Amino acid sequence: LSLVLIQTLHRRSPRPRPAARQERSARAFARLEPALATIAERYHDALTIPALARACGMPVRTFQARFTRLIGRSPQRYVQE
């Protein structure tokens, strides 16, 4: 019964509009900005993923997943290139 109720509510819930998605995407990029700035400023140094995650204030796994989803490649690969 509860599964049916959840599915019904999900179908009736309003979908995010494109502007709302763009706003969430902009906020997500803003959360990665400290890491991207660190990479740009210190590309010649040995950068670690935990240090970049700390700069963004998020756990390493969360940082890696968000970075990969938004940038299109893993943080390790981005730093290497």
Side-chain angles (χ1 to χ4, degrees):
L1 179 65
S2 63
L3 180 60
V4 173
L5 179 61
I6 291 171
Q7 289 173 339
T8 303
L9 291 174
H10 179 71
R11 273 184 259 136
R12 291 184 181 181
S13 66
R15 301 283 183 235
R17 288 176 250 156
R21 274 188 238 140
Q22 288 175 347
E23 184 178 319
R24 281 196 314 266
S25 180
R27 284 194 310 253
F29 272 109
R31 295 273 325 263
L32 293 179
E33 182 58 36
L36 295 171
T38 300
I39 293 168
E41 293 168 2
R42 299 178 44 209
Y43 63 91
H44 54 281
D45 295 342
L47 299 171
T48 64
I49 303 308
L52 294 173
R54 264 192 313 276
C56 294
M58 59 181 79
V60 174
R61 288 178 134 185
T62 302
F63 171 74
Q64 289 177 313
R66 288 184 183 175
F67 193 100
T68 301
R69 187 179 71 236
L70 292 169
I71 304 300
R73 57 191 106 136
S74 69
Q76 297 89 337
R77 191 169 195 186
Y78 186 84
V79 169
Q80 289 172 353
E81 294 176 356

